[in-house]
């Protein structure tokens, strides 16, 4: 929004999240309803099924296999959350009810078709938006770079950041050509149809140990990691996903090894 409208437009409010009880409660629900289970599952893949978190090809495979399912869980949570009653200023109405009541009382907001800021560089908007009379000087839009605007945004909001940004692990497609990628897709589809469970990836009963396949994982929580959360991973949901990971990883290993040898 800052890139679209420019600095100083009140695009959002800065503040400590610890003083916002609603958002803090929301994050608790996000974790307890679905996010912790995915986190525990990924720890399981790392501990038992060959996932290497520093391997960009493995991270690509996680995206390929599970990103749609994670997004579906997000959508389900959003739909359920929007139907729960909100106390206080919400008057025990759900976010969905408040949205519809707002539209009934105030009308449906639509972006103006002739937006006077459409296509105008944010620096120009910041300089002239809301002024009256004839501008004495007009900046050359072509001479204003996005990089300089991003630098202005960084400088303007630097005081609101109290820690370094968290690095995002890189993921990379392991296939150099369409032929190898298509081979991966076709082989994985065949393995799914035949219900092949590969050996050597912690998926066979003889690889589980005396206690069998685990039904839960322990997550460390809290500021110092002293709190331990027992996260149930029902077998009928999470073992098929682990088997899917094992199939895909075994095929990926075979194809990449073959390409390296050639």
């Amino acid at each position: 929004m800052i890139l679209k409208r420019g600095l100083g437009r009140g695009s959002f409010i800065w503040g400590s999240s610890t003083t916002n009880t609603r958002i803090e409660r929301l994050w608790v629900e996000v974790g307890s309803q679905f996010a912790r289970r995915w986190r525990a599952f990924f720890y399981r893949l790392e501990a038992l099924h060959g996932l290497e978190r520093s391997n960009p090809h493995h991270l690509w495979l996680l995206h390929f296999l599970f990103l749609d399912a994670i997004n579906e869980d997000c959508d389900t949570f959003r739909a359920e959350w929007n139907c729960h009653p909100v106390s206080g200023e919400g008057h025990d109405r759900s976010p969905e009810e408040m949205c519809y009541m707002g539209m009934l009382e105030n009308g449906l907001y639509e972006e103006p078709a002739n937006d006077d800021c459409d296509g105008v560089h944010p620096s120009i908007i910041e300089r002239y938006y809301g002024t009256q009379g004839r501008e004495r000087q007009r900046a050359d839009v072509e001479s204003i770079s996005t990089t300089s605007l991003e630098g202005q945004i960084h400088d303007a909001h630097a005081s609101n950041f109290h820690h370094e940004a968290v690095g995002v692990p890189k993921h990379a497609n392991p296939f150099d050509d369409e032929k190898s990628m298509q081979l991966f897709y076709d082989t994985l589809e065949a393995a799914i149809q035949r219900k092949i469970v590969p050996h050597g990836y912690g998926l066979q009963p003889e690889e589980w140990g005396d206690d069998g396949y685990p039904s839960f994982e322990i997550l460390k929580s809290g500021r110092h990691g002293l709190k331990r959360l027992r996260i149930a991973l029902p077998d009928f949901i999470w073992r098929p996903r682990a088997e899917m990971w094992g199939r895909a990883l075994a095929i990926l290993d075979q194809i990449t090894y073959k390409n390296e040898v050639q």
Side-chain angles (χ1 to χ4, degrees):
M1 185 56 73
I2 295 178
L3 288 174
K4 181 176 176 62
R5 295 295 186 184
L7 292 166
R9 307 305 308 168
S11 299
F12 53 86
I13 300 173
W14 288 95
S16 173
S17 64
T18 56
T19 61
N20 188 334
T21 57
R22 294 195 186 280
I23 195 62
E24 289 295 322
R25 179 60 188 177
L26 174 62
W27 290 132
V28 171
E29 293 296 328
V30 168
S32 62
Q33 295 300 320
F34 72 96
R36 287 176 188 166
R37 289 193 288 272
W38 280 106
R39 181 184 172 195
F41 175 64
F42 293 147
Y43 275 125
R44 172 176 293 180
L45 293 185
E46 186 176 19
L48 302 179
H49 304 305
L51 169 62
E52 298 175 5
R53 67 171 71 186
S54 60
N55 188 327
H57 296 167
H58 285 200
L59 298 186
W60 174 88
L61 190 59
L62 285 179
H63 288 202
F64 173 76
L65 294 175
F66 304 121
L67 188 57
D68 288 343
I70 294 173
N71 285 334
E72 288 177 5
D73 280 354
C74 290
D75 289 339
T76 299
F77 174 81
R78 174 186 53 79
E80 294 175 351
W81 182 262
N82 285 341
C83 292
H84 89 287
V86 179
S87 60
E89 295 182 2
H91 303 291
D92 293 324
R93 293 183 298 181
S94 69
E96 198 169 63
E97 289 175 321
M98 288 187 280
C99 177
Y100 288 136
M101 289 301 298
M103 288 190 290
L104 288 173
E105 294 172 0
N106 304 306
L108 181 64
Y109 175 79
E110 295 182 1
E111 187 76 19
N114 55 344
D115 184 2
D116 57 357
C117 293
D118 187 32
V120 181
H121 195 279
S123 293
I124 301 298
I125 298 173
E126 180 187 0
R127 182 173 181 180
Y128 296 113
Y129 191 82
T131 62
Q132 295 181 353
R134 184 177 181 181
E135 298 87 354
R136 294 183 179 180
Q137 294 181 347
R138 290 185 178 272
D140 182 4
V141 176
E142 298 297 330
S143 66
I144 301 176
S145 66
T146 304
T147 303
S148 65
L149 178 61
E150 291 175 349
Q152 294 174 32
I153 294 172
H154 176 272
D155 294 341
H157 298 289
S159 61
N160 294 301
F161 293 96
H162 304 292
H163 54 77
E164 294 295 327
V166 177
V168 178
K170 295 182 179 180
H171 66 281
N173 189 327
F175 304 110
D176 298 328
D177 54 73
E178 290 292 334
K179 183 179 179 181
S180 297
M181 182 174 291
Q182 191 60 49
L183 176 62
F184 171 77
Y185 293 155
D186 294 342
T187 308
L188 179 59
E189 183 62 29
I192 293 172
Q193 292 180 358
R194 298 179 184 179
K195 298 182 180 180
I196 296 174
V197 179
H199 291 265
Y201 291 87
L203 297 168
Q204 297 292 342
E206 59 269 21
E207 299 173 319
W208 297 343
D210 297 336
D211 296 331
Y213 196 74
S215 60
F216 65 91
E217 293 291 330
I218 300 296
L219 292 183
K220 293 182 179 180
S221 182
R223 179 171 297 180
H224 302 291
L226 300 178
K227 186 177 180 180
R228 295 168 64 86
L229 301 175
R230 179 186 172 112
I231 308 299
L233 296 178
D235 194 72
F236 71 96
I237 295 176
W238 297 99
R239 183 138 64 101
R241 288 173 173 170
E243 291 175 351
M244 179 66 74
W245 164 262
R247 292 187 190 103
L249 182 58
I251 295 168
L252 175 62
D253 288 343
Q254 289 293 325
I255 294 176
T256 53
Y257 174 76
K258 181 179 178 181
N259 290 341
E260 290 174 359
V261 171
Q262 292 178 346

